[in-house]
Structures are given as C-alpha cells and as structure tokens.
Amino acid sequence: MKKRIGILLSLALVVSLTACGGKDSGSAAPEPSQAPVQTEAAPGTEGAAGEGMEGAEGVEAEKTAAEDQEAGVVPEYLEFFSGSQGGSWYQVGAQLAAIAQEATGVTSKVAAGGGAANPDTLQSGEGYFGLVYSGVGYQAYLGEGDYTEPHDELNAVISMYSLPFLTIALRSDDRINSIYDLGDKNLSLGKAGQTGYVIAQAVLDAHGIDLDGDSFTGMNSMLGDSERMDMLRDRQLDAITGLLPLDNSTLQSMSMTPGIKLIDMDPAAMGKVQKAVPGLEKIKIPAKAFDEHQETEIQTLAAITSLYCRKDLDEELVYDLTKAIYEQAETLYQYYGEENSVIKEDPLAGIDEDMPIHPGAERFYKEIGILE
C-alpha cells in the first residue's frame, strides 16, 4: 500500500459569478473512434545484440537486461474518452488531448464517452485514457456496484477537480422543497452511462424513491445537460439533477429567468449514497453561494473527476503527461474554476489507497513528495 503524505482535500465552493464562459461547448466534434494501433517502447539497450560483449556471455547478459525491463505500449495516437459533446467533460478532454500531444509528441484527440462507461472502454482496450469519478474508478477496478467483473487493466493517473451534485427545481414551484417530493414529478437525471445518472439513482433510492418501483409515478427523461436545462426553463420538467459547477453560465442565467433553487439532501440519507457510490464527499453550499435567493445552506455530495488509463501504457509517456497536467493546471481552470481544482493541492484526491497508480504517474508523485 502506498503511503500518502499529509495532503488534505479542500472542497472550496466559493464561486465567482464572473467566471468566463469556458463551459459552453466550443470543441470540434471528435473523429470516429478507431482501434488504436499499438507499438512498444524499445528496451533501453543500445547498439546491436552483443555489441561490446563476447560470445554467449554477451548474449545472455543482454537477454537478462531485456527481461528485467518491461516495455510499455506507445499507441500511434491517443484518445481521451470524456463525456457527451457539449458537456464540460468533453471540453476538459479536448484540453487534456492538447496537453498530451505537446508533452508526449503522440497525436491526441478527445472522444465522447461517459463517466460510468469509460472504465469499460479502457478495460476492453478500445481506449487508453478516460475521465472517471474517483470512486467509480475504484468500483470498476474491484468489479463492484454496476461492474460485474474486476477491471484490472485500470490505473489512476491524476485527480483534477470536484463538482457538487445538484438537484434543481423552479423557484416558484412550491411542490418541491426536498428530495422526498420528487416521487411523482417529471425529472431528468441525465443520460444513462453518466456517473451523474448513477449518483442520482442512488440519491433517490436513499430517499425512498425507486425509479423502477411503485414509489416513482412520475417520468424520467434521459437528456444531456443543455437539453434538460432548457426543458426546466420551459417548465417541461419539474426538476433536474447533475454534477455541475455553481457558476455554470446556463444555471446563472436561469437563476434570473425563470428563477431556480437548489434542493437540500437529507443528511440521514447521504451515508447510503456514499455506500452505493464510493468516493463522494459530503459538502455544504453556504447560503448565497449560488445566488442571492439561496437563503439557506444546502447539504449535498461532491464527486472528484480523475484521469485514469490502462496499466500497459509506457511509463515514460504517462510520466510526461502527468507532469505536464500538473504544471499546466491553470489551462484547465476555464472549464471548472480554480476554486474547484485539486490538481496542485491533492492530485490523488478521492483515489483509494488500494487503487493502483500508473508507474509513470507514481514516479512523478515521488519526485514532488506526494508519495514516498
């Protein structure tokens, strides 16, 4: 077990309402996904076989040296599996691809994906990097929760930022003042395959609402972020949920017209949610942190977005990428806000101590004193 040196996660939720509009989609659509063509990093031997040695002794020595050094995979190109197009994860993935291409020299691009689906993509070998919520990545590694078998090809690389789980309704709707009020309402929890959807199911279940049971008599529409926000604004939905920054430009616009409110989570139910979806942190959103109409403190949970990879990737490649992300953390703030970033403060935030860290990332963390 790797010993982490005293770095504590601070989930800051002091929100700037003048944050730049980097959360709006500006990324080009990804190219169709293809099976990566693999090459292998050459072992660190120089010259022809046996050069500088004589006879069988030289051949045997070189063979031993080659066996001692495992070659990692260096793909012809790298895809960063993120979220749906138009969402914040997709934009983060595009920036990670730009950082990777500059740092490693390997052609890199973003690919659409989903937090709950990306571990499957990595495990199957269809991709090498993916954005995953830390706790979900550990569940996949163990083969627990929604994962029926261990995803033993997964390694953690770096934790990036935390986002609160929000339940949002119209401010004028007096019918909705708690999660318990959602059993007969028209909802959108997001899209299947998104971690936000998994969390939403667990939140409802912890409050006694089973989407597939008699306790839910409303409707659930599987929609992306922008679609469900628009439908709430147009009063076609009663409430929506999602992992969203408080200063999301669309939410801030909706706080003025038609007016929206954050719904508190029952503290007694939060432990059940954390057990169902490991890696979530209890947080409190102070009064007025969202807008001037938020008169009371909101209790909810937050999830930490991390980058995961396949364990067979070349160590030097992952080292170079991890170092570059750490040193260029500020280039990602436009997508989720500096106050939500954990890269510099705790780049392994939310990652269980029993979750394997890729050797390339591990080497970097030892250099900067995060691991010993």
Side-chain angles (χ1 to χ4, degrees), residues 32 76 80 234 237 265 275 355:
E76 186 175 304
F80 286 78
D234 295 337
L237 292 172
M265 195 178 295
K275 185 175 181 180
M355 180 70 213

Side-chain angles (χ1 to χ4, degrees), residues 16 39 49 55 61-62 68 79-80 93 110 137 166 169 179 232:
S16 168
T39 59
E62 185 180 48
D68 287 343
E79 283 184 300
F80 286 78
V110 64
L166 303 180
I179 305 294
L232 178 63

Side-chain angles (χ1 to χ4, degrees), residues 52-275:
M53 304 179 186
E54 295 182 7
E57 181 181 352
V59 174
E60 185 62 29
E62 185 180 48
K63 179 181 178 182
T64 300
E67 289 174 347
D68 287 343
Q69 181 175 359
E70 295 183 6
V73 174
V74 179
E76 186 175 304
Y77 67 87
L78 295 172
E79 283 184 300
F80 286 78
F81 285 82
S82 55
S84 57
Q85 293 187 47
S88 60
W89 265 23
Y90 192 85
Q91 296 173 67
V92 171
Q95 181 62 29
L96 289 176
I99 292 173
Q101 184 159 317
E102 180 182 358
T104 69
V106 179
T107 300
S108 305
K109 61 182 181 180
V110 64
N118 289 346
D120 292 332
T121 300
L122 270 57
Q123 178 69 15
S124 67
E126 296 176 26
Y128 284 102
F129 286 101
L131 291 176
V132 182
Y133 289 106
S134 300
V136 173
Y138 187 55
Q139 274 191 319
Y141 173 72
L142 296 176
E144 296 180 353
D146 291 335
Y147 301 94
T148 57
E149 60 182 26
H151 286 43
D152 54 4
E153 295 297 321
L154 269 61
N155 276 187
V157 178
I158 191 168
S159 294
M160 302 175 64
Y161 62 99
S162 66
L163 286 180
F165 176 83
L166 303 180
T167 303
I168 305 164
L170 294 175
R171 192 184 308 138
S172 59
D173 193 344
D174 294 332
R175 302 171 306 153
I176 302 176
N177 295 295
S178 74
I179 305 294
Y180 295 107
D181 297 331
L182 301 180
D184 60 350
K185 303 302 189 292
N186 293 330
L187 313 175
S188 178
L189 311 181
K191 290 183 176 180
Q194 294 180 333
T195 301
Y197 189 92
V198 175
I199 296 172
Q201 285 182 300
V203 168
L204 290 178
D205 187 65
H207 289 77
I209 302 172
D210 180 0
L211 286 178
D212 299 319
D214 295 336
S215 55
F216 182 67
T217 58
M219 291 185 62
N220 174 36
S221 302
M222 295 187 184
L223 303 170
D225 288 350
S226 59
E227 294 172 284
R228 63 181 184 270
M229 289 181 191
D230 287 343
M231 290 185 69
L232 178 63
R233 177 191 282 118
D234 295 337
R235 294 178 169 82
Q236 295 175 313
L237 292 172
D238 297 317
I240 62 174
T241 65
L243 287 161
L244 299 163
L246 294 182
D247 61 347
N248 177 280
S249 58
T250 303
L251 290 184
Q252 287 298 319
S253 173
M254 290 172 64
S255 78
M256 295 181 285
T257 305
I260 54 177
K261 59 185 176 183
L262 306 182
I263 305 301
D264 203 31
M265 195 178 295
D266 185 346
M270 295 171 75
K272 296 178 182 178
V273 182
Q274 289 177 301
K275 185 175 181 180

